[in-house]
């Protein structure tokens, strides 16, 4: 069996495993009629948004595909279409799974924590294994068919484009609805979160799915696929003729899927204080088993000093020259980064530790001090991830050169299946709590969903940290591929700080994430403003809403936020593409290299700061709601709600969207090389 067929077979197993989990979950009870009615409203709103979003993206994609066909040929266009369709499918299936699981988790919460936890993780795992299965299938299948590394860049571009739109569109939607609902419902009307009297409450729950499920699924599908492609590109460039270097990323991805499937069965909890530990059991098992698999694969595909370049299990493959242990150490670095980024992100976003408690305590003295402390923690949260990624890249390079950095990135992303499962657990439990509140279920049910939701907030933040850190490593590999491609074209790939073009590119690249983040934040503000006006209108014009005798017009709020989100996502999504093209054509390859470096550095810091800071603000609010510093309704709680409102577009729109934006810029640069 060849490596390509093993990878394709494994990807099919991953997809089948996800479908089996989905089928078993579908058989679970959905609760009473009111619960099913609420769940159906969320489901319809989510589908309607994605349908309209895909229509908008199709127009942009068609224009880009036409340009690619004219300038780069049929194979690149086909790759672009395959990547875009697969990323769209990952987003759609991720959202479909979440809106099917939420009401079932609510019903399971009636019987206790353990059952609800198990069902929520099963729902998240469907998305996780679909994402990695689709990613590996597309990359391995397209490579087997085309045997063209340049065409694989088209696959990565298609996936990245859809990822940016999904992250932006879903992120703008979810935070516009959330902020609009909170500002009028909590702050002005004084009603609880997820109160059925709030006209924006269905839109808020829809947002959890289109942002945190569809957006994250497309994001990590794209990151996973692009990292595999970047590793294959660099392997083919560094070890020309040694096809094992091109194929090693595929077998590492396949082995990690098997490890993650086994790790799934390790996830379980014993009591309410160890929910996060229960999830980490599965992650740890998957990591240890992946490391063992990586060691075996590298031993088989690297020719030890004095060993023939052919022979062994993969007899027809030209092996990678060098010592296997050093390549294994590089791969091990990637797995250690997963552990490190998970622990660092949990420290900055969990209610158990200093950063969140500091923000909560600062809320006692007012709104301003809450904002100041939240910003301080968001800035502080960038230091440890930066140190981790810097030393990881250095060690991987020390062990095995540029290809070692590529292996560490592939190793890190190979864990995406179990990581996405843990992430999707978050929006499912968030929706479950919303359904429990809107359906008026007993207090003991809401207590179970609140426990799961609090952990879900941390898992969403942890996954965003993982996605951003992996994007940083992947972008380094893409930059190395860009430099290698320049050398193949006999263009200098040395980017000197004394060169004014490099400096110009650096400044433009460093500015791009700030402008992109600003546009995303303003988009949330404009869209949220439309929601605020609509919710106020309904409170004023529909008598009986506050008394519970009249039903709000949920569909109207859903439609308003959908149109606003789709309108606002276009400009920030296409900006990075145009800037990269303009710099490449008008300033040349040196300036473009500087642009890539600038985008990678400031994009990484901004994304980490926004996602960790926003999650810390959110959990500080929840910490107070548990009864600390006066509990719900206190002055500290009001200040914490303000902080959470500021943090929402930070953590769920601008921050996560920077992640695919970094890779879009790098992939467009790769496509431009032959024109420079």
């Amino acid at each position: 069996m060849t490596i390509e067929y093993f990878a394709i077979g494994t990807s099919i197993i991953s997809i089948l495993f996800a479908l089996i989990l989905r089928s078993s979950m579908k058989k679970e009870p959905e609760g009473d009629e009111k619960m099913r009615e609420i769940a159906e409203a969320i489901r319809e709103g989510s589908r309607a948004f994605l349908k309209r979003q895909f229509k908008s993206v199709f127009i942009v994609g068609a224009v880009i595909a036409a340009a690619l066909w004219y300038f780069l040929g049929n194979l690149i266009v086909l790759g672009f279409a395959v990547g875009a369709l697969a990323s769209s499918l990952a987003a759609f299936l991720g959202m479909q799974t979440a809106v099917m699981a939420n009401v079932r988790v609510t019903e399971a919460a009636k019987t206790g924590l353990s059952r609800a936890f198990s069902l929520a993780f099963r729902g998240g795992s469907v998305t996780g294994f679909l994402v990695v299965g689709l990613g590996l299938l597309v990359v391995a299948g397209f490579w087997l068919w085309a045997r063209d590394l340049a065409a694989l860049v088209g696959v990565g571009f298609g996936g990245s484009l859809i990822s940016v739109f999904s992250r932006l569109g879903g992120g703008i939607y979810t935070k516009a609805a959330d902020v609009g609902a909170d500002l009028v419902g909590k702050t002005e009307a004084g009603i609880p979160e997820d109160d059925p009297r709030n006209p924006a409450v269905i839109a808020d729950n829809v947002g959890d799915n289109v942002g945190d499920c569809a957006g994250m699924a497309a994001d990590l599908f794209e990151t996973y696929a692009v990292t595999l492609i970047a590793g294959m590109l660099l392997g083919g460039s560094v070890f020309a003729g040694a096809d094992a270097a091109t194929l090693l990323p595929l077998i590492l991805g396949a082995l990690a899927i098997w490890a993650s499937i086994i790790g799934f069965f390790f996830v379980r909890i014993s009591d309410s204080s160890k929910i996060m530990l229960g999830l980490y059991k599965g992650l740890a098992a998957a990591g240890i088993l992946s490391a063992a698999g990586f060691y075996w694969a590298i031993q088989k595909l690297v020719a030890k000093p004095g060993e023939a370049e052919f022979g062994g299990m993969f007899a027809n493959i030209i092996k990678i020259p060098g010592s296997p242990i050093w390549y294994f150490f590089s791969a091990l670095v990637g797995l250690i980064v997963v552990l490190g980024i998970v622990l660092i992100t949990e420290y900055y976003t969990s209610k158990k530790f200093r950063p969140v408690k500091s923000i909560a305590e600062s809320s006692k003295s007012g709104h301003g001090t809450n904002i100041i402390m939240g910003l301080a923690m968001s800035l502080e949260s960038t230091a440890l991830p930066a140190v981790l990624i810097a030393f990881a890249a250095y060690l991987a390079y020390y062990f095995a050169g540029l290809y070692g950095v590529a292996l560490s990135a592939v190793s890190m992303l190979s864990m995406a299946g179990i990581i996405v499962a843990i992430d999707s657990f978050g929006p499912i439990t968030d929706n479950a709590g919303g359904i429990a509140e809107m359906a008026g279920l007993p207090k003991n049910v809401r207590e179970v969903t609140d426990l799961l939701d609090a952990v879900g907030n941390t898992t969403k933040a942890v996954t965003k940290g993982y996605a951003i850190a992996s994007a940083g490593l992947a972008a380094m590999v893409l930059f190395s591929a860009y430099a290698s491609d320049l050398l193949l074209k006999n263009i200098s790939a040395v980017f000197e700080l004394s060169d004014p073009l490099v400096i110009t590119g650096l400044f433009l690249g460093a500015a791009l994430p700030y402008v992109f983040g600003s546009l995303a934040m303003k988009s949330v503000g404009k869209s949220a403003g439309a929601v605020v006006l609509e919710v106020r209108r309904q409170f004023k014009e529909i008598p009986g809403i506050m008394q519970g005798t009249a039903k709000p017009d949920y569909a109207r709020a859903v439609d308003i936020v959908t149109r606003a989100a789709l309108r606002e996502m276009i400009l920030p999504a296409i900006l990075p593409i145009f800037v990269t093209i303009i710099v490449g054509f008008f300033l040349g390859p040196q300036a473009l290299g500087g642009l890539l470096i600038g985008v990678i550095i400031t994009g990484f810091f901004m994304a980490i700061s926004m996602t960790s800071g926003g999650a810390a603000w959110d959990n500080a609010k929840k910490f107070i709601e548990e009864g600390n510093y006066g509990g719900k309704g206190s002055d500290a709680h009001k200040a914490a709600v303000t902080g959470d409102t500021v943090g929402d577009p930070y953590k769920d729109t601008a921050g996560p969207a920077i992640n695919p934006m970094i890779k879009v810029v790098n992939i467009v640069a790769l496509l431009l090389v032959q024109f420079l």
Side-chain angles (χ1 to χ4, degrees), residues 512-524 572 606 610 654:
L512 190 54
Y514 285 91
V515 177
F516 180 87
S518 169
L519 290 172
M521 295 280 284
K522 284 193 289 185
S523 296
V524 172
M606 278 194 71
M610 287 178 160

Side-chain angles (χ1 to χ4, degrees), residues 5 28 34 60 72 223 247 324 335 365 401 426 531 547 561 580 595 629 651:
Y5 283 113
E28 298 290 337
K34 189 170 185 180
V60 178
L72 297 172
T223 306
L247 297 175
L335 294 177
S365 51
V531 178
Q547 292 74 31
V561 74
T580 308
L595 178 89
Y629 305 125
K651 69 180 172 67

Side-chain angles (χ1 to χ4, degrees), residues 383-431:
L384 289 177
V387 171
L388 179 68
I389 294 297
F391 276 100
Y394 173 77
L395 283 174
Y397 184 86
Y398 175 79
F399 292 140
L402 285 177
Y403 191 61
V405 179
L407 285 183
S408 68
V410 169
S411 170
M412 184 179 181
L413 259 299
S414 71
M415 302 298 292
I418 194 82
I419 291 284
V420 174
I422 292 171
D423 170 77
S424 295
F425 171 91
I428 289 172
T429 56
D430 192 349
N431 264 199

